[in-house]
Amino acid sequence: MPRTVSDGGEDFDGDVSSQTGSHRYTDSNSTHHHHHHGYKVGFPPAKGLLAEFADGVKETFFADDPLREYKDQPRSKKLWLSLVHLFPVLDWARSYSFGKFKGDFVAGLTIASLCIPQDIGYAKLAFLPAHVGLYSSFVPPLVYAMMGSSRDIAIGPVAVVSLLLGTLLQEEIDPVKNPYEYSRLAFTATFFAGITQAMLGFFRLGFIIEFLSHAAIVGFMAGAAVTIALQQLKGFLGIKKFTKKSDIISVMESVWGNWNYQTILIGASFLAFLLTTKYIAKKNKKLFWVSAIAPLISVVISTFCVFITHADKQGVAIVKDIKQGINPPSFHLIYWSGPYLAKGFRIGVVAGMVALTEAIAIGRTFAAMKDYQIDGNKEMVALGTMNIVGSMTSCYVATGSFSRSAVNYMAGCKTAVSNVVMAIVVMLTLLLITPLFKYTPNAILASIIINAVVSLVDYETAYLIWKVDKMDFVALLGAFFGVVFASVEYGLLIAVAISLGKILLQVTRPRTALLGNLPRTTIYRNVEQYPEATKVPGVMIVRVDSAIYFTNSNYVKERILRWLRDEEEQQQEQKLSKTEFLIVELSPVTDIDTSGIHALEELLKALEKRKIQLILANPGPAVIQKLRSAKFTDLIGDDKIFLSVSDAVKKFAPKSALNV
C-alpha cells in the first residue's frame, strides 16, 4: 500500500509512534486537545460491565438525578425531604401568605363556577349520573393539592377522558339497563387508571408517554373535540333515540331524527352567548372572567326559564334530580374478582394513559409560562393516588383540564390552593343546591360542552406542523381521522403506531452525506448544503449521521458502496483520477454494536477488492472502544484512524491538502 508523508517535512507517522501504547491509554488528556498535529485518537478508560449497566439505568430512569438533595444529610433531614418529595404541599405551605390566598380564592371561585356545569355534562358523556361528575371535582382536587407539583393545573373530569370511558364501558355493560353494574365497572376502571399512573411514576417510567408525539396529541385532541361536539347533538337538538357509537357516520345517521324546536332554540341561543363571551375574553385578556362565569349564568337563566314556562312538559329534556350529599365510599363496589376485573383493568390502563398525557402536557405548558419546573414522575404519582382515592369515593377518572387550567392561570392562581377552594365550592353545591339543578335543560349542558371543546381544535399548531414536518402532520391526520371515523382508542393506536413508525424509519434509514472541502479552509462539509465545497481528488469522504446498529448497519454499508459506484461512473465520464481512499467521518456516530462492526468488516473487504483504503476519522469514545475490543483497529491498522478529516487528507492526499 502506498504511503505518502506530507511534503511539509512534518513526519506525521514518526510523531505518532513516539506515543507508546501504554502512554496513550493513560493519557486521557490527549482526547481533549485541539486538532494539533501529532495527536492520535485516544481511548477512554475501560468501564466494568456493572458500571456501564448502572450508568445506563441511571440515565433511563433517573435522568433528573432525584437523589441529589439527599447527599450528606442527617437522617431526620432525609426523612423530611422524602415527605416533601411525596407531599410538595409541606414545602410551599410554609411560605404561603394572605396575598397569595386572595389570588387563589378568586381563581378557585372562578373555576368552580366553570366546573359545576361542565362536570354535570361530562358525567353524561361518560353515561354516569350527574352527581358522580360533581364528586370527581371534590375529592381528587384535594388529594392533588397535597401531592401535585403544578401550581396552575385545575383538576376534575375532562371531556376527552369522559368520552373514552363512556365508549369503552358501554361496550361491556349497557348503562341504561344496568346502571348499578355500569357504575361499578366505572369505579373499577378508575381504580386501575390510578394504579397505572402511580406505578408509571413510582417506577419512573415517565418516558413511556413521550411516545405520543406532540403532533399526534394535537390530532387526537382535535378528533376527540369533533367527536364530543357531535355527541352533544343529542342534547342540543333534543333527539330521543341516539346512537351509542362515537364515529361520525353513525352519529350523522341518527341526527335525522325528530328534533325538538324549543330545545334547539335554548341550545343555539346560549351557545351563541357562550361563544361571544369566549371571543370577548380572547380579544381582551383582562375580561377572561366573562367567559369563565358564562356557563353558570347560562345554567341559572335557562333553568329559571324552563321552570317558569314548564318547557319540560313540551318535550325539553331536563337533568332531573341530582343526588344531594357528598361522596359515599365505593371501595366495596370495585370488582376485585370475576370477568369484569380484567375488563376494568384494560379500560383503566387506556384511560389512565390518556389522562396522564393530557395532565402532563397541561402542567408543562403552564410551568413554562411561569418559569418553574414540574417533575413528571412526581406528577404521575400524584395523579395516580388521586384517582385511586377517587375510585374509593365514588369518583371517575379525573385529570388536568385544559380549559379550566387556562381560566385558573388567567384568574391569577398562585398555588394549588385554588383547587381546594374549587373543591369546597363543589362540596357546598352537593350539600345545598343540587335540587336547584332539577330543571336545567340538557341543551344547555350540550352547548357548554361544545363551547369547551371548540378550543381543543388547534388549527394554528396543525398548520405550523404541516409547514415544519410533513411526517408529523401525517401522524396528526392519522390520529384525527382515527378518532373521528373509528373510535377514540383507534385514534390513539394510530397515533402511537405512526409515531413509532417515524422513529423506526429514522433508525433504519439514517442519513449519510458526501463531504467536500470548503475552499481556503481545513473544514469539510456536506456538499449538498455547501455547493462550493470541493471534492478532494482521489479521496471520497462520507459521513454517517447516526449510531450504527443492527437495524441500519447493512443499509449504511450498502449506501457507502452506492456513493462509491456513483463516484466511479462520474470519474469514467469525466476522466478523473480514480478513488484511492475512502474516509468515513464518524463524529455523529454515537455508538456501534456487533452488527455495525461486522458491516464495517464487510465494507473493508469490498474496498480491498477495489484497491481502496478505508480510513476512519474522529470516532467517539464508545465507538473506538468497541472497535478495539472487536480487534477491528488491528484489522484496519492504527495508522488509518485519525482525529479529523483534514488530518487524514493531509496524510493521504498531500497534493490537494497543500492548496488550502
Side-chain angles (χ1 to χ4, degrees):
M1 290 181 185
R3 275 251 184 98
T4 45
V5 169
S6 82
D7 296 354
E10 198 178 58
D11 186 347
F12 204 86
D13 224 312
D15 205 278
V16 173
S17 53
S18 64
Q19 284 191 352
T20 58
S22 61
H23 177 79
R24 189 184 327 146
Y25 204 89
T26 49
D27 181 23
S28 62
N29 287 348
S30 65
T31 55
H32 295 304
H33 280 284
H34 300 297
H35 295 248
H36 284 311
H37 309 309
Y39 273 109
K40 197 74 193 229
V41 172
F43 291 90
K47 263 189 205 162
L49 178 68
L50 275 175
E52 248 181 67
F53 182 69
D55 273 1
V57 168
K58 185 178 171 216
E59 275 313 307
T60 307
F61 297 107
F62 303 101
D64 51 352
D65 194 10
L67 302 175
R68 195 174 51 237
E69 45 199 36
Y70 292 92
K71 283 198 184 105
D72 316 322
Q73 299 285 4
R75 182 169 292 165
S76 58
K77 183 83 199 278
K78 279 184 183 162
L79 188 69
W80 170 248
L81 283 170
S82 309
L83 273 173
V84 168
H85 189 75
L86 252 186
F87 300 103
V89 61
L90 297 170
D91 184 32
W92 56 259
R94 289 185 297 178
S95 59
Y96 198 67
S97 63
F98 183 68
K100 283 184 180 167
F101 179 68
K102 280 195 296 198
D104 285 336
F105 184 69
V106 174
L109 287 179
T110 318
I111 51 177
S113 72
L114 180 61
C115 90
I116 292 166
Q118 279 186 355
D119 290 348
I120 299 171
Y122 291 157
K124 274 189 158 359
L125 203 55
F127 301 105
L128 287 161
H131 54 261
V132 176
L134 291 168
Y135 291 166
S136 309
S137 270
F138 169 45
V139 175
L142 292 176
V143 179
Y144 183 84
M146 293 191 295
M147 298 183 69
S149 52
S150 167
R151 299 171 206 164
D152 302 277
I153 203 165
I155 296 292
V158 296
V160 178
V161 178
S162 306
L163 170 77
L164 179 69
L165 267 181
T167 358
L168 295 180
L169 290 170
Q170 64 164 0
E171 282 170 12
E172 309 297 341
I173 300 176
D174 186 340
V176 184
K177 290 181 189 145
N178 311 327
Y180 177 70
E181 277 83 22
Y182 183 84
S183 52
R184 284 191 65 179
L185 187 59
F187 299 144
T188 311
T190 303
F191 176 77
F192 284 113
I195 292 284
T196 307
Q197 296 170 333
M199 287 297 124
L200 284 178
F202 182 74
F203 291 115
R204 307 189 71 81
L205 297 171
F207 57 85
I208 289 180
I209 61 166
E210 310 277 343
F211 272 115
L212 266 178
S213 66
H214 173 62
I217 292 173
V218 172
F220 173 71
M221 287 298 193
V226 171
T227 309
I228 291 165
L230 289 171
Q231 291 274 310
Q232 296 314 306
L233 290 175
K234 176 188 179 188
F236 195 76
L237 304 170
I239 301 169
K240 294 276 189 295
K241 278 197 172 135
F242 202 73
T243 177
K244 288 272 166 63
K245 296 194 177 117
S246 66
D247 63 289
I248 191 166
I249 295 163
S250 345
V251 172
M252 280 307 171
E253 279 171 355
S254 58
V255 161
W256 306 114
N258 30 0
W259 298 357
N260 177 296
Y261 289 97
Q262 275 124 322
T263 309
I264 295 177
L265 182 70
I266 297 173
S269 50
F270 281 103
L271 182 59
F273 167 65
L274 290 168
L275 290 170
T276 311
T277 56
K278 190 174 219 163
Y279 179 76
I280 292 170
K282 207 171 182 176
K283 282 281 169 255
N284 185 350
K285 289 279 188 277
K286 286 202 176 67
L287 294 175
F288 71 89
W289 54 271
V290 178
S291 70
I293 66 171
L296 198 60
I297 293 172
S298 317
V299 168
V300 173
I301 297 174
S302 62
T303 307
F304 185 65
C305 293
V306 171
F307 180 68
I308 291 176
T309 60
H310 298 293
D312 53 311
K313 303 278 188 293
Q314 278 115 40
V316 172
I318 52 173
V319 171
K320 301 199 183 69
D321 294 315
I322 297 182
K323 219 165 91 186
Q324 216 168 341
I326 56 168
N327 311 24
S330 58
F331 182 79
H332 59 287
L333 295 176
I334 296 173
Y335 288 110
W336 299 111
S337 60
Y340 286 129
L341 172 70
K343 287 173 177 169
F345 175 73
R346 199 196 81 227
I347 296 170
V349 170
V350 178
M353 296 289 259
V354 175
L356 253 192
T357 316
E358 191 169 350
I360 302 280
I362 294 166
R364 282 187 184 151
T365 308
F366 289 107
M369 283 183 186
K370 281 193 184 172
D371 194 30
Y372 64 92
Q373 230 65 72
I374 63 164
D375 176 346
N377 291 304
K378 223 192 259 186
E379 283 295 279
M380 292 181 200
V381 174
L383 292 160
T385 313
M386 149 188 119
N387 279 321
I388 293 169
V389 175
S391 70
M392 297 174 184
T393 52
S394 309
C395 305
Y396 76 101
V397 184
T399 183
S401 148
F402 209 89
S403 54
R404 293 197 289 274
S405 301
V407 169
N408 196 21
Y409 171 79
M410 301 268 216
C413 70
K414 298 285 178 277
T415 63
V417 172
S418 59
N419 270 310
V420 179
V421 175
M422 174 187 81
I424 293 168
V425 175
V426 172
M427 176 191 78
L428 294 172
T429 307
L430 280 164
L431 288 173
L432 308 170
I433 54 179
T434 47
L436 300 180
F437 285 109
K438 181 177 178 177
Y439 290 100
T440 304
N442 286 343
I444 277 297
L445 300 174
S447 49
I448 287 172
I449 292 178
I450 292 173
N451 175 54
V453 295
V454 166
S455 52
L456 289 177
V457 183
D458 191 349
Y459 51 89
E460 288 166 2
T461 308
Y463 178 63
L464 190 75
I465 290 171
W466 160 254
K467 282 197 343 202
V468 175
D469 188 336
K470 302 289 184 279
M471 189 71 198
D472 261 0
F473 190 71
V474 171
L476 183 149
L477 284 186
F480 178 76
F481 288 124
V483 175
V484 172
F485 286 103
S487 71
V488 183
E489 8 162 29
Y490 280 120
L492 260 186
L493 279 175
I494 292 170
V496 174
I498 293 177
S499 303
L500 283 174
K502 186 179 163 192
I503 298 172
L504 285 176
L505 248 181
Q506 286 168 342
V507 171
T508 51
R509 295 287 179 263
R511 299 194 168 165
T512 53
L514 215 51
L515 306 188
N517 175 249
L518 291 178
R520 296 177 300 286
T521 67
T522 53
I523 300 171
Y524 290 81
R525 287 289 180 267
N526 188 341
V527 289
E528 273 182 21
Q529 192 182 353
Y530 300 93
E532 68 274 21
T534 53
K535 291 177 185 169
V536 182
V539 179
M540 186 170 145
I541 309 164
V542 177
R543 188 183 68 214
V544 181
D545 286 344
S546 100
I548 305 177
Y549 288 136
F550 64 95
T551 47
N552 62 19
S553 54
N554 205 37
Y555 169 79
V556 169
K557 180 193 77 179
E558 299 291 338
R559 188 70 190 92
I560 291 176
L561 291 172
R562 204 169 91 214
W563 282 121
L564 264 175
R565 262 207 316 280
D566 296 350
E567 198 71 1
E568 280 173 356
E569 282 168 15
Q570 246 185 343
Q571 287 161 355
Q572 277 167 352
E573 276 171 28
Q574 301 171 4
K575 307 264 190 300
L576 297 170
S577 55
K578 249 173 86 334
T579 306
E580 288 179 44
F581 305 100
L582 170 71
I583 302 178
V584 182
E585 151 80 299
L586 293 175
S587 37
V589 181
T590 47
D591 202 359
I592 190 167
D593 64 4
T594 43
S595 311
I597 295 174
H598 188 66
L600 281 182
E601 287 167 356
E602 287 178 353
L603 178 68
L604 188 66
K605 284 187 191 130
L607 291 175
E608 278 172 353
K609 280 187 187 142
R610 301 174 178 200
K611 301 203 167 48
I612 296 175
Q613 296 184 41
L614 177 64
I615 298 153
L616 304 180
N618 196 15
V623 175
I624 191 69
Q625 196 157 16
K626 289 182 181 176
L627 290 180
R628 179 177 222 169
S629 307
K631 298 268 195 299
F632 184 78
T633 45
D634 302 348
L635 197 65
I636 182 177
D638 265 350
D639 56 336
K640 299 274 180 33
I641 302 174
F642 288 88
L643 256 185
S644 67
V645 175
S646 63
D647 285 358
V649 173
K650 194 175 275 178
K651 166 117 197 274
F652 290 107
K655 302 282 184 295
S656 55
L658 287 180
N659 307 340
V660 170

